[in-house]
Amino acid sequence: MEHVPPPAEELALLDRELAQLDARRAHLLTRRAWLVSALQPQAPNAPRWHTPPVGHGWAPGQPWSAAPRAAKPPGPPRSAQNVLLTLGGLLLTVAAVAFTLVSWGSMGIGGRSAVLALVTLAALAAPVVLLRRKLAATAEALAALALVLTLLDVYAIHAVAAPDTDGLTFTAVASAVLAALWAAYGLALGKLHLPLPAAVFFVQWPLLLGAWAAGAPAIVVGWALLVTAVVDGAIALWGKGLGVRVTAGIGLAVMGSAALLTGLGESLTADGPLGAVLPGALLLTAAVAALAGAWRAPNGYAQVGGVLAGLAAVAAVGGVLRAAAPGTWHVPVYLLCGLALLSVVRAPLPRGAGRGVLAAAGAVVAGALLWAVPPVAAVLLLGPVELVAEVWAGAPDGFRGALGESMRWSESAAAPVVLAVVAGLLGAAYRWWPSLVRVAAPLVTPGTAARGAAGAGALALGWGTLLLAAATLGVPYPVAVALETALVAGLLLVAVRGAERGAGDAGTAEGDGARAEAGAAGGGRSAVAVTALVAAVGGAVSVGLLSLAAEAATYAVFGALVVLFAGAALRTRAVVEQAVLAVAAVVWGTVLTGCVARSLEHAPHEAAPLLLVVPAVTVLLGARLRLHPVALPVELTGALGALVAVGLAVPDAPFLALVLALCGVLAAGAAVRPERRPAAGYVAAVLFVAATWVRLAASEVSTPEAYTLPVTVPALVVGVLRRRKDPGASSWTAYGPGLAATLLPSLAVAWTDPDWLRPLLLGVSALVITLLGAKYRLQALLLLGGAALALDTLHELAPYVVQVAGALPRWLPPALAGLLLLAVGATYEQRLRDARKLKDLLGGMR
């Protein structure tokens, strides 16, 4: 048996080996740095380096000197030479074109053609001589000129020898001749880079232009394109030179895509199965050619060839079967053909080509899902949302009646089948994942994340299949509501079990490497659990909207949702899932209380106090949970429900004051707990003060000081006592509520008071408060008093400011604003320092 050392001994061995590896790596990096510096160009008089002697005594960074090598005489820059040759060739080309097309002189067309022929022969012969003299760049420029001259010769021949010949036919023949000519020329002069790519370019046109000139049908044009693409592919695989292969690759992409699109278009427009056979043969031949090319191509191109081969095969076979199937079943036909490509895992294909075929199968499945998913979205949200405008209008006749008649259900009859097939395959892959990995190992090596994605996809698509099947079959409305509720319950069960299993794996994986791997393998289950949780929340929203058609259904559904989500939150141990479930339960409970208010025929403002039942429950639940991570999300969700209640009570001031006061009570209840006191205490004070103001405004009180001063004086006395007992207490806690209770209502009334006494008294009081705050360094007094003083002063000076502004020229305010901005910009740094000083000063106050 093999001896396994204890963990401590094995850890020490690993540390020693890692230290040796680090030392060896540092040694190699130092050696590499020296080699890089030795290979860098040196100055003419600097010492050169040569290979150091090999031995154990070598020290990194030690120089070795050697005799300097003879420097080569600098030659003319290649870039300047290329520019000159390019310009010269371009000028000669322009001259030739001008001679042929414009400057005919007194020569006839035959004479001009003879001259062009002689010049072309000279241009073709010159590179031979230049290459012998090793003037390759000049030979390349003259070859380019010869290429243009051959095109002009073709034009001249058509004008002289065959003026009545069809242009397309002549061009097709001329392209073939030029392709052969330049191919022979390029093979004869192998050092030239231009002739062979030019020959490949001319190869693209003979078949296409010949079929076009003969008026051949589209399928024949497609064959011409396909044959040309096959030739391009052969040249791209076995051609000599980068330029030849790149040109052939571009031709292959263009001609091959055109051939595939032609075959696909003919297949989709075929009248019957027999009419789709010829396009199918074209597409199937293209698939075989692409697969043959992928067999020999490098890995990246092999994958592209595999994708094209798979898609072409699906289009070929699926096009024939589609023509024999009804219109609603066209997509399932293509889906089955795409799934048949999965058998490639058993075929002896190269890895790149096989992976490309698998990618083609995935693309077909994705396209089918894109066709089938929109009806699911309509069933989940688009249809039920329409019921919001007609709450409790009566139960519809069936599921379709609740979703609306705008959906064309007859055209979506095959969508559940597509979803069910894909969901079944993904579920099977998730269930028998080890076997699938062994079978697919020659082509792909999927990991645990892929298994999680398969399980999540199977769950989501299975859920959508059931919903869409119910809508397509037109089940009765009660059955649809019960089905969606049951699906939500099932999804919650999967989410809870997945969260528990993931938490268990995480808990047992601590401190154990083997168990940690097992926990990582459980990542698929966590993906399924997350998908189930998201689907459960979405399904709950959908069934909740669907239940709004009938009062009894609304109470039954939302009551069940509260119980299901609350029970799931109590059952799970994962914190995030528990928080999501608890928050959802609070939301459903808030909706349920709103339904109760509607059943009691309360006006919106009368229903507002009833909506505070759920926030009160969340406050009590938060006190029960205390420091549990779920407590804060639950309480914040309850606070949002209270905010909704405040919004409903806004139209009626007395009810608004009541709701604000009740919210203040809830906030004060939360502030009893030490961890909530810093935030909830301020919120409670603000709510109580706001409730007082609203109540005074609703009672049309013109002298609010008579009601606020009796509250302010005792509050300030309590604040003074609090500060004496605890000098470190904040001035906002001690004096803020008392001052705000009088200052803010008085300020609001002063802005609408035409008399001068209240603004004067308010300004004097605010000035005194501000001075006290500055003297005793109390932040609340300084800011509240200063704000009230500034607003009161602004109110008093506003009429004069308006009068002065009306007398000023209209250009003066923008000019003053511009000067102000310039001044601030010029002294920006100083203003920034002043702002920081002010911030530090205020921050140092209590």
Side-chain angles (χ1 to χ4, degrees):
M1 296 178 63
E2 183 179 357
H3 172 67
V4 178
E9 183 179 350
E10 184 178 2
L11 180 61
L13 291 174
L14 291 176
D15 289 338
R16 285 196 295 271
E17 291 181 6
L18 289 174
Q20 293 175 2
L21 289 175
D22 290 338
R24 178 60 179 166
R25 185 174 184 274
H27 174 79
L28 293 176
L29 288 175
T30 305
R31 174 64 175 166
R32 181 184 181 279
W34 181 88
L35 291 174
V36 170
S37 63
L39 291 175
Q40 290 178 353
Q42 304 288 332
N45 298 325
R48 294 278 179 173
W49 306 88
H50 68 86
T51 304
V54 179
H56 296 287
W58 169 75
Q62 179 181 354
W64 286 266
S65 61
R69 298 178 182 177
K72 295 183 179 180
R78 300 289 297 176
S79 58
Q81 181 183 10
N82 292 335
V83 170
L84 292 176
L85 292 174
T86 302
L87 289 176
L90 182 61
L91 290 175
L92 289 175
T93 302
V94 172
V97 173
F99 170 77
T100 306
L101 300 178
V102 181
S103 301
W104 294 103
S106 59
M107 298 176 61
I109 185 64
R112 289 187 294 272
S113 300
V115 172
L116 277 177
L118 292 175
V119 175
T120 302
L121 290 176
L124 289 173
V128 179
V129 179
L130 292 173
L131 286 176
R132 290 176 182 174
R133 296 177 178 273
K134 297 183 179 181
L135 300 175
T138 308
E140 203 77 52
L142 287 178
L145 175 63
L147 175 62
V148 177
L149 290 174
T150 54
L151 294 176
L152 295 176
D153 288 333
V154 169
Y155 170 76
I157 292 172
H158 181 265
V160 173
D164 298 330
T165 306
D166 179 62
L168 288 176
T169 304
F170 183 83
T171 306
V173 175
S175 299
V177 173
L178 288 174
L181 172 64
W182 283 100
Y185 189 74
L187 292 175
L189 302 178
K191 294 183 179 180
L192 293 179
H193 298 88
L194 181 63
L196 290 180
V200 174
F201 173 77
F202 288 125
V203 165
Q204 312 301 315
W205 308 109
L207 293 179
L208 176 61
L209 295 179
W212 193 1
I219 191 67
V220 177
V221 176
W223 279 104
L225 291 169
L226 179 59
V227 173
T228 305
V230 171
V231 173
D232 288 331
I235 296 173
L237 286 175
W238 294 296
K240 296 172 60 178
L242 180 61
V244 173
R245 292 196 297 271
V246 170
T247 306
I250 295 174
L252 171 62
V254 175
M255 296 298 177
S257 301
L260 291 176
L261 291 176
T262 302
L264 181 60
E266 291 296 309
S267 177
L268 293 176
T269 56
D271 295 334
L274 294 178
V277 170
L278 289 179
L282 173 63
L283 292 170
L284 202 58
T285 305
V288 174
L291 192 60
W295 204 294
R296 296 169 177 82
N299 187 35
Y301 296 103
Q303 292 188 22
V304 175
V307 171
L308 293 176
L311 294 177
V314 170
V317 180
V320 177
L321 299 178
R322 178 203 64 85
T328 57
W329 296 94
H330 290 173
V331 174
V333 166
Y334 284 109
L335 175 63
L336 293 178
C337 294
L339 294 177
L341 295 178
L342 296 177
S343 60
V344 74
V345 296
R346 294 287 189 178
L349 290 177
R351 185 178 179 88
R355 296 179 72 173
V357 176
L358 287 180
V364 174
V365 173
L369 290 179
L370 287 177
W371 174 80
V373 166
V376 178
V379 172
L380 280 174
L381 289 177
L382 298 181
V385 164
E386 297 179 359
L387 297 174
V388 176
E390 299 178 358
V391 177
W392 296 353
D397 296 334
F399 198 7
R400 292 185 183 180
L403 298 175
E405 299 298 334
S406 58
M407 187 71 185
R408 298 179 179 178
W409 299 107
S410 59
E411 299 180 2
S412 304
V417 177
V418 171
L419 295 176
V421 170
V422 180
L425 287 175
L426 292 177
Y430 180 76
R431 175 62 180 83
W432 291 287
W433 187 257
S435 302
L436 177 64
V437 171
R438 286 195 299 271
V439 172
L443 297 182
V444 292
T445 52
T448 55
R451 184 189 184 189
L459 180 65
L461 294 178
W463 171 53
T465 299
L466 294 176
L467 291 178
L468 190 56
T472 305
L473 296 175
V475 299
Y477 175 74
V479 175
V481 173
L483 174 64
E484 288 206 40
T485 307
L487 288 176
V488 171
L491 291 170
L492 288 176
L493 181 61
V494 173
V496 170
R497 288 186 175 180
E500 289 180 352
R501 191 176 295 113
D505 291 340
T508 57
E510 294 180 0
D512 192 343
R515 292 181 180 179
E517 293 181 0
R525 292 191 294 271
S526 65
V528 173
V530 171
T531 304
L533 180 61
V534 174
V537 175
V541 174
S542 176
V543 71
L545 294 173
L546 186 66
S547 68
L548 296 178
E551 183 176 3
T554 302
Y555 281 107
V557 167
F558 280 102
L561 291 178
V562 171
V563 173
L564 289 174
F565 278 84
L570 293 175
R571 185 69 177 83
T572 185
R573 292 181 297 168
V575 175
V576 176
E577 287 82 353
Q578 193 175 36
V580 173
L581 294 169
V583 166
V586 173
V587 172
W588 312 143
T590 304
V591 176
L592 195 59
T593 56
C595 295
V596 172
R598 181 177 176 84
S599 296
L600 296 176
E601 298 182 354
H602 287 330
H605 63 274
E606 295 175 341
L610 187 60
L611 290 180
L612 296 179
V613 172
V614 174
V617 173
T618 59
V619 171
L620 296 176
L621 186 60
R624 175 70 175 174
L625 296 174
R626 296 190 66 80
L627 298 178
H628 194 280
V630 179
L632 182 59
V634 168
E635 291 181 81
L636 290 178
T637 308
L640 291 178
L643 188 61
V644 173
V646 172
L648 292 177
V650 166
D652 189 274
F655 267 92
L656 178 59
L658 174 61
V659 171
L660 290 173
L662 293 176
C663 291
V665 172
L666 295 178
V672 173
R673 297 155 51 197
E675 66 274 11
R676 297 286 184 264
R677 187 171 301 154
Y682 290 115
V683 173
V686 170
L687 289 173
F688 282 133
V689 172
T692 303
W693 298 341
V694 173
R695 181 68 260 182
L696 293 176
S699 301
E700 298 181 355
V701 174
S702 59
T703 309
E705 293 82 4
Y707 299 90
T708 58
L709 284 175
V711 176
T712 296
V713 174
L716 293 177
V717 172
V718 172
V720 171
L721 296 177
R722 169 71 184 279
R723 290 273 296 174
R724 286 183 179 179
K725 183 178 180 181
D726 183 13
S730 172
S731 61
W732 290 101
T733 304
Y735 308 121
L739 291 175
T742 296
L743 282 179
L744 297 182
S746 299
L747 184 61
V749 175
W751 269 72
T752 59
D753 191 354
D755 201 0
W756 59 271
L757 182 58
R758 176 178 279 109
L760 177 61
L761 295 176
L762 178 60
V764 172
S765 302
L767 178 60
V768 172
I769 294 172
T770 304
L771 294 176
L772 290 175
K775 180 180 180 180
Y776 295 104
R777 300 180 59 81
L778 299 176
Q779 191 180 95
L781 276 67
L782 181 62
L783 294 182
L784 285 176
L789 180 60
L791 292 175
D792 186 64
T793 305
L794 179 63
H795 171 263
E796 294 301 310
L797 296 179
Y800 305 101
V801 173
V802 172
Q803 184 178 0
V804 172
L808 291 176
R810 294 186 178 273
W811 56 266
L812 188 58
L816 294 176
L819 291 174
L820 178 62
L821 291 177
L822 289 176
V824 172
T827 59
Y828 175 75
E829 295 296 335
Q830 181 62 36
R831 302 286 78 77
L832 191 60
R833 287 192 293 269
D834 294 342
R836 288 172 181 169
K837 290 179 180 179
L838 180 60
K839 177 184 175 183
D840 296 339
L841 179 61
L842 290 176
M845 293 183 177
R846 287 290 181 182

